[in-house]
Amino acid sequence: MNGPMLFDEEEALRDESRRDAGPGPNVLTIDIDGWEGPLDLLLALARTQKVDLRQLSILALVEQYLVFIDEVRALKLELAADYLVMAAWLAYLKSALLLPKDPTIDPSPEELALRLQLRLERLNAMRESGARLMARDRIGRDVFLRGAPEKLRVVKARAWECDYFELITAYGQINARTQPAMHIVKKRQVMTLEQALERVSAMIGRAIDWTAISAFLPPMADPALRKSALASSFVAALELAKRGVVDLQQESTFAPLMLRKKAT
Amino acid sequence: MIETDPDMRAVEATLFASDQPMTVEQIRGYVGDSVDVSAALTQLAAHYQGRGIEIVQRGKAWHFQTAPDLAHLLRREREESRKLSRAAVETLAIIAYHEPVSRAEIEAIRGVQISKGTLDVLMEAGWVRPAGRREVPGRPLIYATTPGFLTHFGLNSRKDLPGIADLKAAGLLDPIDSAMGDMLFTGEESDSELEINENNA
Amino acid sequence: MIETDPDMRAVEATLFASDQPMTVEQIRGYVGDSVDVSAALTQLAAHYQGRGIEIVQRGKAWHFQTAPDLAHLLRREREESRKLSRAAVETLAIIAYHEPVSRAEIEAIRGVQISKGTLDVLMEAGWVRPAGRREVPGRPLIYATTPGFLTHFGLNSRKDLPGIADLKAAGLLDPIDSAMGDMLFTGEESDSELEINENNA
């Protein structure tokens, strides 16, 4: 036995006949590698009985297997372990079948034998089905498809999407982008140093006691102007202190800055 | 006259031009919704009966092919189609007749482990595909055949698998345990056969 | 009956399976010397007349093909809509507002070069067409919009396009300034922090 079965019909037939000639007692050219495991070997042996597998003599099969294995071992060919495991199991099965029935043994040897037979039947069924499948009218071997089909084509037509708003917005943005840039500084309300000097000088005249600088700011809400007024009033306070018009006092860092008219 | 029926002409031309088997829906995508594609295909198939080429249905898909009895004229001697190993053929048969089936189930039937390449070869050929997982411990992958399998082997459906009805009737597609139950139940006959054989032995 | 003529069947299958047009001699190489290939071809050609497929002779070789009048079926259009790129929208807008306009003029207005593909896309969309050449040195191509452009954007004429003043009024003209405004606005928030300090003061 050699190699995988090829699905050339002739070769398959030749292969089959070689298999069926099987490993008879006179066959010395035994190639154990040709078998796909013990079940495969068992099936090939079973087929040499030339009966329907349902009529198979399991005892005869066991005998065939054990003889075969012995021959192989006599030739000092190496056997894979699973063949030996199967041989041991079959030897057990054989003795169990031959011995008087012991109802306590479960599963019974008859059941084991039946199981083995069923497995062989199933493998055989699939092997035959496979061969029949391969023998069908297969595309590229028995039936042929059209050699040069025109082929169907799917032509992709692209529809471009763009809506009106996008179009005019784009134009607006081009214009905005390409218009010569002119930078105008926004007018801010500020209190100049002069204004602050005037305002603080006027107000300090009326203040007798220490007064926080925030009291000198214009009371209106605009925070921008308020900030400007604070900065200018602070500088004005320093200026007035320099001129000797006011006293300044701050208890600690970030504490309110206090102003008072300098005592004269 | 058949030749001038515009629907049939359209279906004929479409299927003929295609390099793939086509389903009714796919054909309709080309010939338009107004055409009764199924009817046209049936008529065409009848029309080509006995000719050198034929229209066949494989699963849901249809295609043109040469008549099988002309294989001897067209077979290219040198370019033998892919040769499958025995393991691959058996594995394919087991998947086809038992699908969906797990690797362990395939191995149980064959009595040997499947080598890594075997399933790959079948999948590469486009005949077998993984078809989900079996909801048992370990969630093994299960395998089934493809539409391409039906096409390649000229099967209209899995029911056309050679001998599948007989195998089913004989219980040869059932797992051994359930088969055992049946046989022990109907019992006697096979037992007695076995006994006879034993006597022969 | 024609269907059962074995010579014709053989020639039909051979020609069908071939991936090349075949001469009478080549066909004979497959079907055998006993077959009158020419006669079979002539009969087949007659047989397919008016059908969805036909057998034709080109030079010395014969082949099957689908009927030419059905070619439109074998091509199926699939629409695929895609958004116009930013560059394409701007280019289209410039052409619409300034037409007819040359590529160099478009680039001058956009302030950026346009890639060759941009105008192609607009022409493919059917919104822009070449509209002659500008009679200046180099005679550049000039572009204009098409009636399809007006239809697509729901315009009666180009005069319906909003003018610069309209765009300005709609706030579409100065995206940069408004962005600046946003920044000033967020700037004020930090002012309030200062105020808190003032209050503390």
Side-chain angles (χ1 to χ4, degrees):
Chain A
M1 290 318 306
N2 48 5
M5 190 140 107
L6 306 174
F7 278 85
D8 232 88
E9 272 143 313
E10 279 174 44
E11 233 174 301
L13 278 175
R14 240 182 292 134
D15 203 34
E16 275 305 291
S17 62
R18 264 182 293 170
R19 293 178 72 79
D20 284 343
N26 300 324
V27 178
L28 292 176
T29 52
I30 298 162
D31 177 5
I32 201 73
D33 293 335
W35 308 102
E36 278 198 85
L39 199 65
D40 185 25
L41 171 56
L42 272 169
L43 181 57
L45 293 169
R47 287 164 80 155
T48 63
Q49 292 188 18
K50 301 210 188 287
V51 290
D52 185 325
L53 284 182
R54 277 172 295 183
Q55 320 277 319
L56 186 68
S57 163
I58 289 293
L59 268 183
L61 179 64
V62 169
E63 200 54 49
Q64 283 173 283
Y65 186 91
L66 296 176
V67 167
F68 178 77
I69 293 296
D70 281 345
E71 280 175 11
V72 174
R73 295 171 87 181
L75 290 172
K76 297 196 164 46
L77 292 173
E78 265 191 50
L79 267 181
D82 48 351
Y83 288 87
L84 299 176
V85 170
M86 178 64 94
W89 187 81
L90 290 175
Y92 159 77
L93 179 63
K94 177 182 165 187
S95 62
L97 285 170
L98 291 175
L99 286 170
K101 277 190 182 167
D102 179 350
T104 62
I105 295 179
D106 184 49
S108 70
E110 285 77 17
E111 187 182 328
L112 291 176
L114 181 57
R115 259 177 205 268
L116 177 58
Q117 184 207 338
L118 289 173
R119 287 196 71 181
L120 292 173
E121 272 186 60
R122 276 161 174 66
L123 178 58
N124 189 54
M126 284 302 105
R127 186 158 293 172
E128 285 177 351
S129 296
R132 290 168 76 185
L133 203 52
M134 290 299 135
R136 286 188 62 83
D137 291 329
R138 289 162 58 194
I139 286 178
R141 193 190 65 163
D142 307 290
V143 297
F144 295 86
L145 302 178
R146 192 163 167 220
E150 283 90 355
K151 292 188 184 167
L152 299 169
R153 268 183 277 273
V154 176
V155 180
K156 283 183 192 160
R158 270 182 297 194
W160 291 98
E161 256 177 47
C162 175
D163 65 23
Y164 189 47
F165 180 74
E166 260 182 282
L167 181 74
I168 58 175
T169 310
Y171 192 66
Q173 289 179 356
I174 297 163
N175 268 279
R177 195 170 65 216
T178 54
Q179 218 93 91
M182 203 160 80
H183 300 285
I184 301 166
V185 178
K186 229 181 184 175
K187 266 194 186 156
R188 278 181 84 181
Q189 265 195 298
V190 291
M191 182 182 280
T192 61
L193 179 57
E194 287 72 29
Q195 288 169 330
L197 267 174
E198 214 171 292
R199 185 177 168 86
V200 174
S201 308
M203 288 174 80
I204 201 78
R206 283 180 260 131
I208 301 147
D209 211 346
W210 288 108
T211 310
I213 192 165
S214 56
F216 295 88
L217 303 184
M220 69 287 194
D222 183 358
L225 175 59
R226 210 176 150 77
K227 208 194 301 178
S228 166
L230 176 64
S232 303
S233 301
F234 173 63
V235 177
L238 293 178
E239 178 62 24
L240 290 171
K242 191 175 151 199
R243 289 187 200 163
V245 181
V246 297
D247 286 331
L248 295 180
Q249 177 185 310
Q250 188 174 29
E251 279 180 7
S252 63
T253 316
F254 296 121
L257 183 66
M258 308 302 280
L259 277 77
R260 189 177 66 174
K261 190 176 182 175
K262 198 173 180 83
T264 44
Chain B
M1 212 177 121
I2 192 163
E3 284 82 351
T4 54
D5 181 273
D7 289 358
M8 206 173 309
R9 289 185 76 220
V11 172
E12 186 179 32
T14 304
L15 196 59
F16 197 75
S18 175
D19 59 347
Q20 299 281 330
M22 294 179 89
T23 65
V24 168
E25 288 69 33
Q26 287 170 331
I27 296 170
R28 194 176 290 127
Y30 286 85
V31 298
D33 290 337
S34 61
V35 175
D36 184 345
V37 174
S38 298
L41 283 168
T42 312
Q43 277 175 278
L44 277 169
H47 183 79
Y48 275 99
Q49 201 118 51
R51 295 278 299 278
I53 55 182
E54 54 183 26
I55 290 190
V56 293
Q57 182 180 10
R58 301 289 179 242
K60 290 183 168 216
W62 295 72
H63 69 263
F64 271 100
Q65 65 180 30
T66 57
D69 66 306
L70 299 174
H72 62 284
L73 295 179
L74 305 174
R75 194 170 293 166
R76 278 73 157 174
E77 311 294 344
R78 295 286 159 247
E79 44 182 279
E80 174 59 50
S81 55
R82 71 187 86 215
K83 289 173 182 173
L84 285 180
S85 68
R86 188 150 59 93
V89 173
E90 280 181 24
T91 302
L92 178 62
I94 291 168
I95 294 171
Y97 284 77
H98 292 79
E99 79 177 41
V101 67
S102 71
R103 193 187 177 106
E105 288 157 354
I106 298 168
E107 291 175 343
I109 294 171
R110 295 198 66 232
V112 274
Q113 291 204 322
I114 315 184
S115 69
K116 195 184 149 350
T118 304
L119 279 166
D120 288 355
V121 162
L122 296 176
M123 288 195 272
E124 195 189 317
W127 296 335
V128 163
R129 65 187 164 84
R133 293 179 178 278
R134 174 101 60 227
E135 289 305 333
V136 296
R139 302 187 69 245
L141 263 181
I142 47 180
Y143 296 89
T145 55
T146 63
F149 166 79
L150 295 179
T151 304
H152 182 87
F153 290 98
L155 300 162
N156 199 334
S157 77
R158 279 186 58 245
K159 286 183 196 133
D160 293 343
L161 284 168
I164 192 168
D166 294 339
L167 292 176
K168 209 170 244 170
L172 287 173
L173 301 181
D174 301 328
I176 286 192
D177 281 330
S178 74
M180 280 291 289
D182 288 348
M183 292 193 78
L184 292 177
F185 182 70
T186 53
E188 300 292 311
E189 252 191 322
S190 41
D191 271 7
S192 60
E193 275 171 36
L194 238 161
E195 266 167 49
I196 293 166
N197 291 338
E198 280 171 46
N199 296 341
N200 288 350
Chain C
M1 216 177 121
I2 194 163
E3 283 85 350
T4 54
D5 181 277
D7 291 357
M8 207 174 307
R9 292 184 74 225
V11 171
E12 188 179 32
T14 304
L15 201 56
F16 170 88
S18 172
D19 60 355
Q20 298 279 333
M22 294 178 93
T23 63
V24 169
E25 289 67 35
Q26 287 169 328
I27 297 171
R28 192 175 291 128
Y30 283 86
V31 299
D33 290 338
S34 61
V35 175
D36 184 343
V37 175
S38 298
L41 282 168
T42 311
Q43 275 176 281
L44 274 170
H47 182 78
Y48 276 102
Q49 201 117 48
R51 295 279 297 280
I53 54 186
E54 55 183 28
I55 290 191
V56 291
Q57 184 178 11
R58 295 278 178 265
K60 289 188 159 211
W62 294 74
H63 69 270
F64 270 106
Q65 65 179 30
T66 54
D69 65 309
L70 298 175
H72 64 282
L73 290 178
L74 310 181
R75 231 179 297 117
R76 189 165 59 157
E77 296 225 329
R78 195 167 60 197
E79 282 236 325
E80 188 183 73
S81 64
R82 280 174 62 176
K83 261 188 111 48
L84 225 46
S85 69
R86 175 92 203 144
V89 177
E90 288 190 6
T91 304
L92 179 62
I94 292 167
I95 296 172
Y97 276 89
H98 298 270
E99 78 176 41
V101 66
S102 71
R103 187 195 176 107
E105 288 158 356
I106 296 169
E107 290 176 344
I109 296 168
R110 271 195 80 209
V112 199
Q113 287 208 321
I114 52 174
S115 70
K116 190 183 159 342
T118 306
L119 278 165
D120 289 348
V121 161
L122 295 174
M123 289 194 271
E124 187 194 306
W127 294 334
V128 162
R129 63 185 166 85
R133 292 182 180 276
R134 175 96 62 226
E135 289 306 333
V136 296
R139 301 187 69 245
L141 264 178
I142 47 180
Y143 298 90
T145 55
T146 63
F149 166 81
L150 295 177
T151 311
H152 180 88
F153 291 98
L155 298 166
N156 282 322
S157 81
R158 282 182 49 246
K159 290 187 189 119
D160 292 352
L161 285 168
I164 295 298
D166 301 319
L167 292 176
K168 194 170 216 160
L172 295 176
L173 202 48
D174 31 28
I176 297 166
D177 280 9
S178 71
M180 283 290 282
D182 286 349
M183 282 172 65
L184 288 178
F185 181 73
T186 54
E188 284 184 9
E189 269 187 313
S190 45
D191 275 4
S192 60
E193 278 171 39
L194 235 157
E195 260 172 60
I196 293 167
N197 290 339
E198 278 172 42
N199 295 345
N200 289 351

